[in-house]
Amino acid sequence: MMTVEPLFLEGKPFTAVTVVLPKTTLLVVSNDVGYIMCGALDVDLLNEKLADRNIISGRAVGVKTIEQLLAAPLEKVTEASAAYGWKPGIIGKDALLLLA
């Protein structure tokens, strides 16, 4: 099952996507600038193989819901996200608001 829902953080629009898979759930919250995601995100791939795309992204591990993703510290972020003030440890919601 997959759900796609609008999400507003301090009045700023984002999209929340939940994909329920066997034994795991993928979670993503995004806007047109970047996104945060659950632990399934391969930040190293984005930094190394897709560096020319300057993808603004970060991942949180151990989260099972969109609410947990927003409240969790990002364990790893892409190098390109530094332009928006992101660094490991930033809370998901706070990172997203820096993109709005």
Side-chain angles (χ1 to χ4, degrees), residues 50-61:
L50 304 177
D52 59 318
R53 297 184 189 186
N54 293 313
I55 296 170
I56 310 304
S57 185
R59 80 167 177 214
V61 295

Side-chain angles (χ1 to χ4, degrees), residues 13-15 29-35 96 99-100:
F14 294 89
T15 301
V29 178
S30 66
N31 70 0
D32 60 346
V33 178
Y35 59 94
L96 290 170
L99 303 181

Side-chain angles (χ1 to χ4, degrees), residues 26-66:
L26 299 178
L27 304 166
V28 182
V29 178
S30 66
N31 70 0
D32 60 346
V33 178
Y35 59 94
I36 62 172
M37 189 171 166
C38 64
L41 178 65
D42 188 345
V43 174
D44 292 330
L45 172 81
L46 299 179
N47 282 334
E48 296 165 13
K49 305 259 187 219
L50 304 177
D52 59 318
R53 297 184 189 186
N54 293 313
I55 296 170
I56 310 304
S57 185
R59 80 167 177 214
V61 295
V63 297
K64 295 182 173 140
T65 66
I66 293 293

